[in-house]
Amino acid sequence: MQLNGSGAIVTGGASGLGRGTAAVLAAAGADVVILDLPGSPGEQTARELSEGSAGSVRFAPADVTDEASVQAAIDLVQERTPLRVAVSCAGIATAGRTVGRDGPLALDAFERTIRINLIGTFNVARLAAAAMAANDPITVQSLPGVPETAERGVIVNTASVAAFDGQIGQAAYSASKGGVAAMTLPLARDLSKLLVRVVTIAPGIMQTPMMAGMPADVQASLEEQIPHPSRMGTPAEYAALVRHVVENPLLNGETIRLDGAIRMQPK
């Protein structure tokens, strides 16, 4: 899929992986709308990312679990150009043992994590796919000598290495991200006749506001677990993979670990 002139939405776009992704897409010429909560610095982020970009960045306040606000963001994109790229970065991390000092993990905490991380991701994917289905197909050739491919859109979701290597206290988070990974192939199969691809990225330890809030010794300990390179990943590296996924038409139905070969220890 060609980014220049394409419409894109990025959830969680006010910070972290979402902000990094919006910056890369806009630099490539996409018309980007970032979705984030009304209290987020979304407006400021959009202004900053628009400066000097080949494309544009706008902000739409939205809750990924709310159909109306997500649809409004999609409609905002389509005021200018058809929606062809949707990237879901919004999510929360809930930590808590199944049975802790105060008893069993609160069910509402588990449900909230599933609702935002999994149901929110599916909500965005289904609404974005419905919009993409109305697009005229674009014929793309990713490399010289490679057969041309007709596409209407690309959906990129975000899981986590916790989907596969969940640590102590990550039952809710791992379940939510495992669900995102598990639905990747059926989504890709569902949408194949519509010429829409679906790929999931499972990041490892990344430099995000969530990670920055952890004590320095915890961050150092996590970095030591990463074989190579032995450091946290960056939003720019995540965004570079998003761009490659969008531009490589053979990538479909796969969950890609972006983690420096880490395999998370129990704690």
Side-chain angles (χ1 to χ4, degrees), residues 42-56:
E43 287 284 4
Q44 179 181 346
T45 298
R47 288 194 301 270
E48 292 172 354
L49 296 184
S50 290
E51 294 178 4
S53 291
S56 64

Side-chain angles (χ1 to χ4, degrees), residues 61-188:
D63 179 337
V64 293
T65 67
D66 178 66
E67 180 173 0
S69 61
V70 172
Q71 186 61 57
I74 291 173
D75 293 343
L76 181 63
V77 175
Q78 300 204 123
E79 288 176 1
R80 294 185 180 177
T81 185
L83 176 69
R84 295 194 179 274
V85 177
V87 185
S88 284
C89 295
I92 61 170
T94 300
R97 291 176 182 250
T98 306
V99 179
R101 294 177 181 175
D102 298 324
L105 181 69
L107 189 59
D108 59 352
F110 189 94
E111 289 178 337
R112 180 170 181 265
T113 305
I114 297 294
R115 180 157 185 79
I116 294 172
N117 293 357
L118 178 56
I119 297 176
T121 296
F122 180 73
N123 186 42
V124 173
R126 72 186 184 94
L127 295 175
M132 292 172 183
N135 293 341
D136 293 329
I138 292 179
T139 301
V140 297
Q141 185 176 38
S142 55
L143 293 168
V146 172
E148 292 183 338
T149 303
E151 295 191 302
R152 287 193 172 94
V154 183
I155 296 170
V156 182
N157 294 327
T158 305
S160 166
V161 294
F164 315 105
D165 315 327
Q167 296 185 295
I168 290 170
Q170 286 191 322
Y173 185 68
S174 293
S176 68
K177 293 301 188 176
V180 173
M183 73 180 177
T184 304
L185 182 58
L187 281 177

Side-chain angles (χ1 to χ4, degrees), residues 167-234:
Q167 296 185 295
I168 290 170
Q170 286 191 322
Y173 185 68
S174 293
S176 68
K177 293 301 188 176
V180 173
M183 73 180 177
T184 304
L185 182 58
L187 281 177
R189 288 172 166 172
D190 280 353
L191 301 177
S192 60
K193 290 186 177 181
L194 300 178
L195 308 181
V196 174
R197 292 187 287 118
V198 182
V199 172
T200 294
I201 299 173
I205 310 302
M206 308 295 284
Q207 291 177 356
T208 63
M210 187 186 306
M211 185 59 61
M214 293 185 176
D217 60 332
V218 173
Q219 296 184 43
S221 174
L222 288 170
E223 287 187 321
E224 289 173 0
Q225 297 180 37
I226 306 171
H228 179 69
S230 187
R231 60 166 176 80
M232 295 184 195
T234 67

